[in-house]
Amino acid sequence: MSLVETVRNTLVPVHKEGYRFIAIFFVVSLILGFLWEPLMWIGFLLTAWCAYFFRDPERMTPIDEDLVISPADGRVSSIATVVPPEELGLGAEPMLRITVFMNVFDCHVNRAPMSGRVRRIAYRAGSFLNAELDKASLDNERNGLVVETSHGAIGIVQIAGLVARRILCWTTENASLESGERFGLIRFGSRLDVFLPEGAQPRVSLGQKTIGGETVIAEFGSSKGPVISRRA
């Protein structure tokens, strides 16, 4: 492998949504440098972090209609059976909810956990509580998608956090999504809830790190029970 290929494979593309933020950080850094040089270098570090935040790497998604793939990079902060948000229209029966929390150092591009057709998109204004709190699922600003899959309707909810102030969703109702396909982004810290119908078994544990578009978080049609893990 040549040096050029090595560099190309090492550098991660930046999503276009981040270009103007990186430019703003860079310009502010230059202005601060005229006031006091150390501030410029601090600004350059923050500019590098901004570029890192908006990274958009390619992922290798397992192709299997029985698998549910993580919608984002982050940490599994909740595995519970709860009633989905009313605006999704998924009924009043509890569903398996797997939550992935993203901190400000995680890649924030959101990906479809399963293939299917987008039946509904429902935005709900709300608060900006710490996204790790359980009540953030109902109180925080959020954007929900209902996707019809081969195993029934699933819910995907983008939830703003304490720092996050902008939820982006690029797909539309009646559009088709492939498993692992990019469908949105949340700026600067947040979480995603995935609601799954009966028959889904978790394949992750609390606290486990996930890779969006690659990590299997649940599976349909398996006789195996929930995953039991140990910290090594």
Side-chain angles (χ1 to χ4, degrees):
M1 182 180 291
S2 69
L3 178 60
V4 173
E5 289 175 326
T6 300
V7 172
R8 183 183 296 117
N9 292 334
T10 301
L11 294 176
V12 177
V14 173
H15 196 278
K16 62 181 181 180
E17 290 289 342
Y19 292 166
R20 66 188 180 97
F21 289 94
I22 296 169
I24 291 170
F25 273 63
F26 181 76
V27 171
V28 171
S29 299
L30 293 178
I31 294 173
L32 291 175
F34 286 109
L35 302 176
W36 189 39
E37 185 175 345
L39 290 177
M40 180 179 68
W41 296 109
I42 294 173
F44 284 162
L45 286 175
L46 292 174
T47 302
W49 166 79
C50 187
Y52 180 73
F53 176 87
F54 283 103
R55 66 194 184 279
D56 185 16
E58 294 294 325
R59 296 288 163 80
M60 297 295 291
T61 302
I63 304 301
D64 189 328
E65 64 179 15
D66 293 332
L67 300 180
V68 183
I69 310 302
S70 178
D73 292 18
R75 176 176 55 82
V76 178
S77 61
S78 174
I79 302 174
T81 303
V82 300
V83 176
E86 183 179 355
E87 69 267 16
L88 295 182
L90 291 174
E93 293 298 318
M95 299 177 70
L96 173 65
R97 184 191 70 192
I98 299 178
T99 297
V100 176
F101 174 77
M102 299 173 285
N103 64 38
V104 293
F105 296 104
D106 289 318
C107 176
H108 274 54
V109 174
N110 304 151
R111 297 170 181 266
M114 298 183 75
S115 298
R117 181 182 63 84
V118 180
R119 187 176 80 188
R120 175 179 296 186
I121 298 178
Y123 170 80
R124 176 70 64 91
S127 306
F128 296 95
L129 305 174
N130 184 342
E132 288 205 85
L133 298 176
D134 195 57
K135 64 179 180 178
S137 181
L138 295 176
D139 293 345
N140 279 23
E141 177 178 316
R142 59 189 183 270
N143 184 65
L145 286 75
V146 176
V147 179
E148 287 288 353
T149 76
S150 58
H151 291 282
I154 69 169
I156 311 162
V157 185
Q158 301 168 284
I159 301 175
L162 189 65
V163 180
R165 287 295 186 274
R166 179 65 169 164
I167 297 174
L168 303 177
C169 181
W170 307 314
T171 191
T172 58
E173 292 183 351
N174 295 315
S176 294
L177 285 177
E178 294 295 327
S179 179
E181 182 180 345
R182 302 164 178 85
F183 75 87
L185 181 149
I186 314 176
R187 292 178 189 157
F188 308 121
S190 44
R191 90 185 220 192
L192 275 92
D193 288 347
V194 180
F195 291 88
L196 301 169
E198 186 177 354
Q201 290 285 354
R203 287 288 168 262
V204 284
S205 300
L206 285 175
Q208 181 176 332
K209 293 288 292 182
T210 64
I211 299 175
E214 292 190 358
T215 303
V216 176
I217 61 172
E219 182 179 6
F220 285 92
S222 174
S223 60
K224 296 185 292 184
V227 171
I228 299 176
S229 300
R230 64 180 175 86
R231 191 178 298 276

